[in-house]
Each structure stands twice: as C-alpha cells, then as structure tokens.
Amino acid sequence: MCQVGEDYREPVPKDPPPPPRPGHEQQKCMKWCVKCKKGAPVLVIRAGDAFCRDCFKAYYVHKFRAVLGKNRLIFPGEKGDFSPQVLLAWSGGPSSSSMLWQVLEGLSRESAKQLRFVPGVVYVDEGAACGWNPEDRAETLAEVQSILHSTGLPWHGVALEEVFGLPQSVLRHFSQEPALGDGAYKEAVDSFIQQQQGLGTEGNRDSPSLSPGVEQLSWASPHNPQSPARPHTAAKTEALSRLFNSVRTLTAKEELLQTLRTHLILHVARTHGYSKVMTGDSCTRLAIKLLTNLALGRGAFLAWDTGFADERHGDVVVVRPMREHMLKEVAFYNHLFAIPTVLTPAIDTKAPEKASIHRLMEAFVLQLQAQFPSTVSTVYRTSEKLVKTPRAGQAASPSCPCCLLCLCMLDVDSAGLHPDSATAFGAQSTTALSLRQAPALQAQAKEPTVPCCSPGLCEDQGCCRGARPSEREDLQACVIEQLCYSCRVNMKDLPSLDPLPPYILTEAQLRSHRAQAMQEIQEFLIEDSEDEVETGQS
C-alpha cells in the first residue's frame, strides 16, 4: 500500500566508468611518428597514424609515384626527342597544384627516381562562364602567369571562349597506338636515360623540361597585353555568357562547363603534340563523382569517368595520378610545404546544398566522411573494380558511334530495351505529329529571320541565322539522337540548341548526312554469303 508521506525516490546506483580501451592513452599521448619512431608528429591522417614532416612527405610522394609506376601508361621519349608529351591540366586548385609540384620535384636530379617524361601545363580561364568581371579576370590571370613562369615548364593559357572557334575534329575519335609490353617500356626508359645523359654533357641544366624561355602564351583575352589581337573576342565572350545564362539548372551548367573544358584541353593537347593529359582528381573528388554520375545516368561510363586512364579520345589518354590522395592529405601537404594555389570562385560558389546534384552529392559524401572516416575509401575502392567493356556488338573503334558531347559510346539504341527508349520514341512521335499537322503552305511561307545566336561568328563556321522553325526542329532532333542518355537529360534544361558552339552543331549535321548516305548505299552493297565467309576463313 502506498503511504501518503513516504518518499520513494531512492538514489540510483551509478556504475563505475568503463575501463579505458587498450592503447587509447597511448594514442592520446602519442609523442613520436608512427613511421620513423623518432620525429615529433605534426599531423594525424587517420586514427593512430601520426606522421612527422619528413615521413609524411615520403608517404605522399610514394603514393604519387606508385600510381604512375603501377600502370605504366606514360612511356618516356615517345616521340624520340624532348618534345612535351604529357599535358598537366592545372586549374589552380589544391589537387592540381599539388600534382604540378609533384611532377616538378620528380623531374629534379635530386629525386631518387626521376620521372621519365617531359611535361607541359595548360590553364583554362573560366571567368566568362562563372560571371567574373574584367578586373577580377585580369588579376587572376596575372597571378596565374607568375606561378606558371616560376615552374619553368612550357605552358599554355586559353580562355573558355575559344570553344566557339574549335574545329569539328575535336569531336572525332582517332586511333590509338597499340599498347606495348614491359620489355618495350624498359627499352624506352633506357633510351630516354641515354639521350638525357648525352644532352646533360652539352650543358648544365637540371632537366630537359626545365629549360628557360619555353613558355607559350595563347591567351584569348582582351585583358592580356602580350597576346596578339584576335578577332571576335568580345563576341565569343558574349556568346559564352548567353549560352550559360540560357541553361535553366545548375546541374546542367556544371556538366556543360566540364564538357567544354574537356574539349578545349583535348584540342590543346592535339595541337601541340601531347599524348597524355594529367588531371588532379583526388580520391575524395572521384568518390563524389562516382555517386554523382550514377545519379545523372552515366552508370555505363563510370570506368572511364573515374578510372586511372580514360582512352575514349583514342590518340590522347587522360590519366589521374592523384586518385590515391585524400583531400585531407592534399590540404596538409600544400600547407606544410607552401604549395602556391589560385583560389577563384567557381560556377557553384555560394550555392545551397540542394542547388544541383553535384552540390548535393558533395555535401552528402563529406558529411558522411566526417562521421565515418572510411566512406570515401570504400566508394573509391568500389570504382577500382569497374571494368571497361564495349557494348555487345560494338568495339572501341573510330567508326563506333559516340556521344556528341561526352564522346563516350552511345548507350541509347534505336531498337532495343533501354530506359530512354520510351522517352526517345515519345519525343520522335510528338515531333512527327506536329510536323504533319502543320499546313504545307505555312511550311513553305517565308519566315522572318531571327537574331544570330552568336554575333560575329557567322562568317567563320556559320550559325542558325534565318533558320525556319522546321529546320530548327530537324537540327534539334539531329543533335539529340547523337547524345547519350545523360547528355540528353541535361540538354532538356537548354531551351534552344542555337547558343551551342558552331562546331557541335556542324558535326551533328555532318554525322546525320553521313548516316543517311550510308543508309542509301547500303542496299546496293553486295554482302558475302555464309559459305564464302567460311571458305575465306579456312
């Protein structure tokens, strides 16, 4: 029975605190480097991995060299001389700057294992697409020039506006040289060492790539007094701004910016004879890119988008030597060794987390990494298991149809089961129905001309001036049918394809006309019978 004045609040017994985990106090009071056991630690990469300055540098450099040595895709002296063969895509950010200084350190004679290739650097000015004012662009370019001049490497500076002057050959696949074995790789290394020793006796210099006076300037900017005056620079800047302002979503803007940047770097590499292009994609960035591309419908191309080597272009291979480095490691290395960087606002700067798929995935991965430190490494290791295999019935060749923008093999079949088949069929049916309903007299009537999509560029490659609505619909259908699923989805956020660079529209029309001509002559070709084929094989 309960009593009125009785107190039932008894003190709750407190359990003794749990005993400390073994080694916890040692980790907390760690005084020595886990590698050399002598130096004082200056940073902690992971739980229990405290490194001193020298050991961390050796650990960081070993990662970079191990990735290059394990794959053996960069052959020294490919062209038989000291002409540049590897183009470093430098954006001024932490990862690409760290990659640039790793290459510089590997080229010096003090390096234990000297790198056996001659590099060059390319910088793409994206100020017009990101909305920078002329003063900020001029200040950034001056800072970029001072850093690139200090490297002593041949470098190329181009503005993103130059995509409106690119040739159609950028979108074409060229045959790749056959891969060589380990024996050929060793022979190339020995030949390169002999040539280097022969040149070393003629003059005193640290490296054949670090010779002074080899800077190559190709700025297409009105703010650079050293570059020659190029026509239509203001028109190209206006056309680029009009293109990005017409895109509805930030996701499509980021994908379009990445596509145009890739086309421009590819053109610079082919023009100056580079066979490899190095990018500064870190492990964290590749993990974010993997999940982002899955959300964008690029699951078929993950092996090319996140792997070490990307051979989609054929003659130019894109490699990612920083793919083993975490962003945390890159930040520590740049801070400890004073690596110069150029931090500029990007197209998604100050955008909320849900503004685009890229920003959403980046926030998701980084927040998850803060709580579970193995998140990035787990996603990254998954990407390493992806294998590059061509589709059934298709082989990686110049004749294989590829996407007009990302240059990957088309993953959309005209006849077959595909997630985009119903969408494509519905779009074609709607277009055909609208054309049938239009009166014939109205289709033949003279339509008023519309303003040019790119003023000042018509005399170079032509544009859509004076195009009728039916012609515009045909051009749009011609471009859409030559895109992969992901690029088709992104192009839906572009109301009109007229602001696109002329080389994309011209190449789309050329491919369409070539396909029609092949279809017309196909019925006149004589095919071998099965008996003749078996006889020829025997």
Side-chain angles (χ1 to χ4, degrees):
M1 297 294 294
C2 297
Q3 304 295 329
V4 176
E6 191 172 355
D7 187 8
Y8 293 94
R9 294 177 298 177
E10 298 180 357
V12 180
K14 296 183 179 180
D15 297 334
R21 292 178 297 175
H24 179 71
E25 294 296 334
Q26 297 179 2
Q27 296 177 5
K28 187 176 181 180
C29 302
M30 186 176 297
K31 296 182 179 180
W32 308 113
C33 173
V34 297
K35 187 71 176 178
C36 64
K37 309 298 183 180
K38 298 179 180 179
V42 296
L43 59 93
V44 178
I45 299 178
R46 292 176 298 271
D49 293 345
F51 286 87
C52 65
R53 179 187 176 92
D54 296 336
C55 291
F56 173 70
K57 183 178 181 180
Y59 163 81
Y60 194 89
V61 172
H62 175 72
K63 267 191 174 184
F64 183 82
R65 302 289 185 84
V67 172
L68 294 178
K70 180 175 60 177
N71 294 275
R72 290 191 174 184
L73 287 179
I74 301 177
F75 273 61
E78 291 180 353
K79 301 182 181 300
D81 53 9
F82 288 117
S83 59
Q85 55 179 308
V86 177
L87 184 63
L88 308 180
W90 181 69
S91 63
S95 297
S96 60
S97 298
S98 179
M99 177 189 68
L100 176 59
W101 254 255
Q102 287 292 305
V103 172
L104 287 176
E105 185 176 350
L107 292 174
S108 62
R109 290 187 180 274
E110 291 77 11
S111 178
K113 295 182 179 179
Q114 188 176 4
L115 297 179
R116 308 299 181 184
F117 60 84
V118 184
V121 186
V122 61
Y123 174 79
V124 180
D125 177 22
E126 305 172 359
C130 300
W132 302 353
N133 54 46
E135 292 76 13
D136 293 340
R137 294 187 65 181
E139 182 180 354
T140 302
L141 294 184
E143 186 178 359
V144 167
Q145 291 181 17
S146 63
I147 294 178
L148 293 181
H149 274 297
S150 65
T151 62
L153 299 178
W155 57 277
H156 316 272
V158 291
L160 193 63
E161 294 92 322
E162 286 300 306
V163 295
F164 286 90
L166 293 182
Q168 305 173 28
S169 59
V170 177
L171 303 178
R172 297 171 187 172
H173 183 282
F174 293 92
S175 59
Q176 183 181 4
E177 297 181 358
L180 303 178
D182 294 340
Y185 179 85
K186 295 179 181 179
E187 292 178 1
V189 172
D190 296 338
S191 176
F192 184 85
I193 294 176
Q194 294 176 2
Q195 292 180 2
Q196 184 178 0
Q197 291 177 352
L199 289 180
T201 57
E202 298 177 1
N204 296 326
R205 55 183 180 179
D206 294 339
S207 174
S209 62
L210 300 179
S211 56
V214 292
E215 293 82 7
Q216 300 181 13
L217 191 62
S218 57
W219 295 113
S221 172
H223 312 292
N224 181 26
Q226 301 181 11
S227 62
R230 297 191 178 188
H232 313 308
T233 301
K236 292 178 181 179
T237 304
E238 183 181 356
L240 185 67
S241 301
R242 184 184 302 108
L243 171 61
F244 279 89
N245 291 334
S246 62
V247 182
R248 296 192 184 99
T249 62
L250 183 58
T251 300
K253 286 184 180 181
E254 295 188 31
E255 287 294 311
L256 180 61
L257 178 60
Q258 180 180 354
T259 299
L260 297 181
R261 185 197 307 121
T262 303
H263 292 176
L264 195 57
I265 295 177
L266 178 62
H267 175 67
V268 173
R270 287 175 174 172
T271 303
H272 298 277
Y274 295 92
S275 59
K276 304 292 187 301
V277 175
M278 279 189 180
T279 61
D281 296 326
S282 62
C283 175
T284 308
R285 186 57 53 189
L286 290 178
I288 297 172
K289 190 175 184 179
L290 174 68
L291 300 180
T292 302
N293 288 0
L294 282 175
L296 292 175
R298 297 187 56 83
F301 314 126
L302 289 180
W304 284 269
D305 294 337
T306 62
F308 172 77
D310 184 359
E311 308 93 348
R312 75 181 71 180
H313 310 296
D315 56 337
V316 178
V317 180
V318 179
V319 295
R320 304 178 178 93
M322 297 292 295
R323 64 193 314 262
E324 294 282 349
H325 297 78
M326 306 279 290
L327 277 181
K328 181 179 180 180
E329 299 173 356
V330 173
F332 274 127
Y333 182 84
N334 293 349
H335 175 71
L336 291 177
F337 300 98
I339 303 300
T341 58
V342 180
L343 301 179
T344 56
I347 196 172
D348 60 343
T349 302
K350 295 184 178 181
E353 293 183 359
K354 299 182 180 179
S356 67
I357 297 179
H358 303 79
R359 292 281 295 130
L360 184 61
M361 285 298 177
E362 180 181 3
F364 170 72
V365 172
L366 295 181
Q367 292 176 6
L368 200 60
Q369 173 71 13
Q371 300 177 3
F372 304 95
S374 61
T375 300
V376 171
S377 60
T378 302
V379 177
Y380 167 74
R381 298 302 174 189
T382 304
S383 67
E384 284 188 331
K385 302 177 182 179
L386 301 175
V387 182
K388 303 173 185 176
T389 55
R391 303 184 61 203
Q394 294 183 355
S397 63
S399 59
C400 180
C402 61
C403 178
L404 199 62
L405 295 181
C406 67
L407 305 181
C408 288
M409 289 183 297
L410 289 180
D411 58 343
V412 179
D413 295 328
S414 57
L417 297 178
H418 188 271
D420 195 49
S421 300
T423 306
F425 178 77
Q428 294 177 1
S429 303
T430 305
T431 304
L433 182 61
S434 61
L435 293 177
R436 291 177 183 176
Q437 293 178 352
L441 296 178
Q442 183 179 0
Q444 297 177 357
K446 184 177 181 180
E447 298 290 341
T449 59
V450 296
C452 178
C453 60
S454 302
L457 303 178
C458 305
E459 57 270 21
D460 292 340
Q461 301 186 26
C463 70
C464 57
R465 174 179 291 179
R468 299 179 180 180
S470 59
E471 297 177 358
R472 291 173 180 270
E473 293 177 357
D474 294 341
L475 178 60
Q476 184 171 3
C478 174
V479 173
I480 293 299
E481 68 181 5
Q482 301 181 39
L483 300 179
C484 64
Y485 173 75
S486 176
C487 294
R488 290 187 183 189
V489 174
N490 292 327
M491 285 297 103
K492 292 180 181 179
D493 294 326
L494 189 63
S496 175
L497 301 181
D498 297 340
L500 287 176
Y503 73 97
I504 297 179
L505 303 178
T506 307
E507 179 66 17
Q509 293 177 340
L510 181 61
R511 290 186 184 182
S512 179
H513 295 163
R514 186 184 295 114
Q516 293 177 2
M518 290 293 296
Q519 187 175 5
E520 291 177 359
I521 67 175
Q522 190 69 27
E523 57 185 21
F524 298 100
L525 299 179
I526 300 176
E527 298 181 357
D528 297 335
S529 60
E530 296 181 358
D531 298 337
E532 294 177 351
V533 173
E534 294 177 357
T535 304
Q537 294 178 353
S538 61

